Amino acid sequence: KLNPRLLDGYLNLADTYRIRSEYDMAISYFEKAAELNPQRADTYFNLAEVYNQRGDKERASKQVIKLRELNRHDLAKILEGAVK
């Protein structure tokens, strides 16, 4: 079971891996963060960005849908432009 107190640590690790272009590791930690706090929109934004950088438009689009479900229409519009 994931420890909720480690949420920021997971996000920091994910960002570090993303910066280093280690996308699989970044995705792994962003997904752990999303599991801990599924209402945190920036996690889905970051996941979409990483999937897009990896060239996986389909999975990036799924993250945009999750953003929409969270009623974050402004973020979803930004991502839609980046994923196309």
Side-chain angles (χ1 to χ4, degrees), residues 13-14 17-18 22-31 54:
L13 281 169
Y17 284 118
R18 181 181 49 163
E22 294 183 38
Y23 301 127
D24 291 337
M25 291 299 294
I27 289 166
S28 173
Y29 283 103
F30 280 129
E31 286 177 347
R54 196 170 80 170

Side-chain angles (χ1 to χ4, degrees), residues 18-58:
R18 181 181 49 163
I19 290 166
R20 297 177 62 179
S21 299
E22 294 183 38
Y23 301 127
D24 291 337
M25 291 299 294
I27 289 166
S28 173
Y29 283 103
F30 280 129
E31 286 177 347
K32 288 177 184 180
E35 186 179 332
L36 285 173
N37 186 349
Q39 300 303 311
R40 190 168 171 152
D42 63 328
T43 302
Y44 300 109
F45 179 92
N46 288 319
L47 270 168
E49 184 178 78
V50 173
Y51 280 126
N52 192 47
Q53 289 171 333
R54 196 170 80 170
D56 191 339
K57 306 292 186 199
E58 183 177 337

Side-chain angles (χ1 to χ4, degrees), residues 34-84:
E35 186 179 332
L36 285 173
N37 186 349
Q39 300 303 311
R40 190 168 171 152
D42 63 328
T43 302
Y44 300 109
F45 179 92
N46 288 319
L47 270 168
E49 184 178 78
V50 173
Y51 280 126
N52 192 47
Q53 289 171 333
R54 196 170 80 170
D56 191 339
K57 306 292 186 199
E58 183 177 337
R59 287 191 175 147
S61 294
K62 287 180 181 179
Q63 302 309 311
V64 172
I65 290 167
K66 289 180 183 178
L67 281 168
R68 283 186 180 147
E69 290 169 359
L70 290 173
N71 264 342
R72 306 289 186 176
H73 299 291
D74 291 342
L75 284 176
K77 287 178 185 176
I78 291 167
L79 284 176
E80 283 176 332
V83 172
K84 288 184 181 176

